[in-house]
Amino acid sequence: MCGRYAVTTDPAKLAAEIDAVDEVPEPEDSTDLDSPTPRAPGPNYNVAPTTTVMTVVKRHSPDDPDDDPLLRIRAMRWGLVPPWAKEVGKGPLLFNARAETAAEKSSFRASVRSKRCLVPMDGWYEWKKGPLDSKGKPTKIPFYMTPEDGTGLFMAGLWSVWRPKGTDAPPLLSCTILTTDAVGRLREVHDRMPLIMPYDNWDDWLDPDHPAPGELFAPPPQPLAEAIEIREVAPLVNRVSNNGPELIEPV
């Protein structure tokens, strides 16, 4: 499942590229990384669950709910916190959700209906079993999957709003990345992959007023998967504290 990825695009730059409103707070406005909405740090070559990440949503203006919804860049915690959760950090991290069953799960059901998002990334990591180590345990070989043409990826996700009870703290925005059956050569690394959302499907996927067509939850077409480069990388990525472009360099 997708538990690590790399992203190097700045929120303001992405907003300009896709004609979106950048709602990610500036660094001086949000210096506490434990804040519910700190600015997503850029570039990050080793994004891990609970990190604050950049997402794309489509929402109406809070001042005019009858206006046309706009694309918005928002910072969210990677690891969805359901609205009914008593506190953050208890229970599973929920950084992934199976696309096939998300609508049936209490943690994701409401988000499937009206809170769908995109998670931008340059590529993602997966591991496969390698030779046995000195203790007889299989090693894990990391691989990095990224578009061959150097373009970015936008993965289908779900998001949620959690409000702490009995305090004046701001609401926490959080998200999860949908996964699906791996396609084509990607199956050689892992049987699951994040659900890539092509640009032509963005309007239907992000529409806040209507459910997404069921076919958007299906695995991506094979030509899309075949355009993904599979690159073995160094075990540096195994430690979250390691972070730099050397993590995505081929072995």
Side-chain angles (χ1 to χ4, degrees):
M1 304 280 264
C2 179
R4 300 280 184 85
Y5 68 88
V7 61
T8 59
T9 303
D10 178 79
K13 181 180 178 181
L14 177 63
E17 289 175 351
I18 65 173
D19 193 21
V21 180
D22 181 8
E23 296 184 344
V24 179
E26 293 295 334
E28 60 268 22
D29 296 333
S30 192
T31 56
D32 180 5
L33 292 182
D34 291 327
S35 167
T37 55
R39 186 173 184 82
N44 191 338
Y45 294 89
N46 203 354
V47 182
T50 74
T51 302
T52 298
V53 300
M54 180 171 51
T55 65
V56 181
V57 300
K58 197 171 191 179
R59 309 301 290 177
H60 295 280
S61 167
D63 301 321
D64 186 4
D66 294 326
D67 70 345
D68 292 332
L70 300 176
L71 289 177
R72 304 173 187 273
I73 311 296
R74 290 181 176 175
M76 299 188 188
R77 175 189 189 267
W78 185 23
L80 188 139
V81 181
W84 41 261
K86 293 183 178 180
E87 58 181 303
V88 177
K90 297 295 184 181
L93 286 175
L94 301 181
F95 58 89
N96 282 160
R98 296 178 70 92
E100 305 93 324
T101 59
E104 304 166 10
K105 305 296 183 180
S106 59
S107 297
F108 308 124
R109 190 180 300 126
S111 297
V112 169
R113 288 195 296 267
S114 61
K115 287 184 172 65
R116 300 176 298 276
C117 66
L118 299 170
V119 180
M121 63 177 68
D122 296 6
W124 78 96
Y125 301 95
E126 290 290 4
W127 286 257
K128 63 187 301 185
K129 289 183 179 180
L132 300 180
D133 61 17
S134 59
K135 297 181 180 179
K137 296 182 179 180
T139 56
K140 291 185 177 181
I141 302 174
F143 289 82
Y144 180 63
M145 275 64 67
T146 187
E148 292 178 342
D149 62 4
T151 57
L153 292 164
F154 290 84
M155 302 307 186
L158 307 172
W159 64 285
S160 181
V161 181
W162 180 81
R163 292 178 171 83
K165 294 182 179 179
T167 73
D168 295 330
L172 171 69
L173 305 184
S174 62
C175 66
T176 188
I177 295 174
L178 289 174
T179 67
T180 187
D181 288 335
V183 178
R185 295 180 297 110
L186 297 173
R187 290 195 295 263
E188 299 172 9
V189 179
H190 200 282
D191 62 348
R192 303 288 294 180
M193 64 176 287
L195 178 57
I196 302 171
M197 190 56 58
Y199 178 77
D200 290 346
N201 295 337
W202 283 19
D203 284 343
D204 287 335
W205 179 253
L206 296 174
D207 188 343
D209 302 317
H210 301 91
E215 58 267 23
L216 297 190
F217 292 84
Q222 184 142 333
L224 187 61
E226 292 297 329
I228 300 295
E229 175 190 354
I230 302 173
R231 181 190 307 170
E232 183 180 346
V233 294
L236 289 170
V237 69
N238 294 351
R239 295 180 62 87
V240 177
S241 58
N242 293 332
N243 202 317
E246 65 275 10
L247 270 64
I248 64 173
E249 292 298 320
V251 171

